[in-house]
Amino acid sequence: MFHMHSPELKLQGKSLGTSKTRLDRFRELLEKDNARQQRLSSQRQPQRHMPDPTAELPLRSGASTGDGVFYVSFRIGSPPQKFVLAADTGSDLTWMKCNFTCKFCPKISFNPGRAFQAKDSPSFQTIPCSSKICQEDLVRVRALPDCPTPDTPCLFNYTYFGGRSAAGVFVNETVTVGLHSRRKVILYNVLVGCTEAANLPEPFPDGVMGLGFGEQSFAMLLAQLFGNKFSYCFVDHLKPSNFKNYLSFGQAQHSVPKKLQYTRLLVIRDAPYYWLNVTGISVGDKLLNIPAVIWSIPDGGGTIIDSGSSLTHLKEAAYDAVTDALRATISKFKKVELPVTEFCFEANGFQEALAPKLVFHFDDGAVLEPPVKSYIIDAAEGIKCLGFQKVGGDEINIIGNFIQQEHYWEYDIDRFMLGFGPSTCILPNPKD
């Protein structure tokens, strides 16, 4: 047996310690001891509810980089490495691009750019493929059955709408979260995906924060610690990136309207989505003739609210009814062909005040009235489009983040209720 820094220990003819000073080694030893002590303590004692009522992660639009999602700041590892992830209520796996050498792991198929450096974090722990958590608990978040050796890391291949995917290994890591009081809390053994292969459109942030409903969801982890509630407020997606708000866990401290409307949140076993019981859409105070089956979950319809989608996706009958109702507003303008949606036009002379009001109606009487710019959107300089996409018969309706912008959204997991209300969402720059 040799000490890890012994000169007798050689790797490819070089001592493991020759490139580091004695002080470097001592610092590394302390880091590893601290990480181990924290890990052992966290395993002995369960996470408790935090004394501070609110955890806050800075949230901003990705429009300045050409992306249609909202970015949330994320610190992970020991010491913390900083990343920006897409805030996604439509998935339950949190992952980041990752540099980790693994014989049986997928090969890197993207330009990693900024990536988590596993070798620099002593708290980085892979989950063995032979473990119960890999074989049973992580199946829902797309754990793969591959297990060439008992200690091979547990692999995943997580798929999204449109055939997009991310693949890598499951790990436990330390996550640092800011509190409203400006203090920080450290969470140990948080399950995340270390991703070395992804099929996602560019530009794309450093990964995805899974805020969906599920045991492995980051939202559910923090909600349990902070009052079983989380919320966000999306600024106008075209605002510069210095216009920010927060993804909050617990009692939100910013942008909360004086009065909220509430509608039921529906969840389905083994699905990470937040379903809403939509009953109809009206345009210009006229309820559109949309068959009830479009909104019925048992009949293959239904509607989810999804922060990871930009446009609002509607099944054919609903899409046709909505676009027909808005067609008169845009028909006087010159049509423009764009791949985004079939209804785009030159916007010179367009006035939002002349556009009809669009309203989503829910079964318990709540109504969502987005601003005109959320459904007649700016696609490019001088060009506007209707912010809807048609989906096939076997797909579901999705309320995307453009419709959600300039509203505060509160997910009350205890009561399974979604609260919402209009807000500019504009704050002074929060500290990352």
Side-chain angles (χ1 to χ4, degrees), residues 126-332:
T126 59
I127 295 173
C129 62
S130 58
S131 63
K132 176 183 177 293
I133 185 173
C134 180
Q135 296 292 322
E136 298 180 16
D137 301 340
L138 297 181
V139 171
R140 169 173 160 159
V141 278
R142 312 300 191 275
L144 300 177
D146 310 47
C147 198
T149 70
D151 293 330
T152 297
C154 184
L155 304 177
F156 70 86
N157 189 353
Y158 198 93
T159 55
Y160 297 89
F161 290 120
R164 303 295 185 178
S165 64
V169 300
F170 285 113
V171 303
N172 284 324
E173 251 297 7
T174 297
V175 173
T176 303
V177 177
L179 303 178
H180 179 66
S181 62
R182 298 300 184 189
R183 295 184 296 119
K184 290 181 170 58
V185 62
I186 299 175
L187 306 175
Y188 304 106
N189 295 318
V190 177
L191 179 81
V192 295
C194 170
T195 296
E196 292 197 307
N199 170 26
L200 294 166
E202 293 292 344
F204 197 80
D206 304 321
V208 171
M209 180 175 288
L211 300 175
F213 186 82
E215 291 182 4
Q216 311 303 339
S217 164
F218 189 75
M220 294 302 102
L221 169 64
L222 260 70
Q224 289 171 13
L225 300 174
F226 295 93
N228 279 322
K229 184 183 295 184
F230 74 94
S231 59
Y232 54 77
C233 200
F234 290 154
V235 300
D236 179 342
H237 72 283
L238 293 179
K239 293 289 186 186
S241 61
N242 61 325
F243 285 82
K244 309 172 189 175
N245 208 283
Y246 290 98
L247 169 63
S248 300
F249 297 88
Q251 187 58 51
Q253 306 295 316
H254 311 279
S255 307
V256 184
K258 291 182 179 179
K259 185 176 181 180
L260 296 179
Q261 296 186 75
Y262 286 91
T263 189
R264 288 185 297 159
L265 278 176
L266 309 174
V267 294
I268 298 175
R269 182 178 176 83
D270 297 328
Y273 311 132
Y274 300 102
W275 297 82
L276 303 177
N277 208 335
V278 175
T279 56
I281 298 175
S282 62
V283 174
D285 295 325
K286 179 181 179 181
L287 189 64
L288 302 181
N289 184 20
I290 301 172
V293 68
I294 295 295
W295 314 118
S296 172
I297 298 173
D299 295 318
T303 307
I304 67 169
I305 182 167
D306 179 21
S307 64
S309 296
S310 299
L311 301 182
T312 289
H313 299 236
L314 297 174
K315 294 171 80 72
E316 185 173 3
Y319 175 86
D320 289 345
V322 168
T323 54
D324 285 347
L326 294 172
R327 196 190 302 266
T329 303
I330 66 175
S331 61
K332 64 185 72 173

Side-chain angles (χ1 to χ4, degrees), residues 58-63 65-73 84-87 203-205:
L59 182 70
R60 71 201 76 185
S61 167
T65 64
D67 201 345
V69 298
F70 284 80
Y71 293 172
V72 62
S73 298
V84 290
L85 308 183
F204 197 80

Side-chain angles (χ1 to χ4, degrees), residues 4-11 13-19 25:
M4 65 179 292
H5 296 306
S6 168
E8 284 107 328
L9 186 59
K10 304 287 183 177
L11 181 64
K14 295 183 180 180
S15 168
L16 288 178
T18 55
S19 62
R25 292 194 214 104

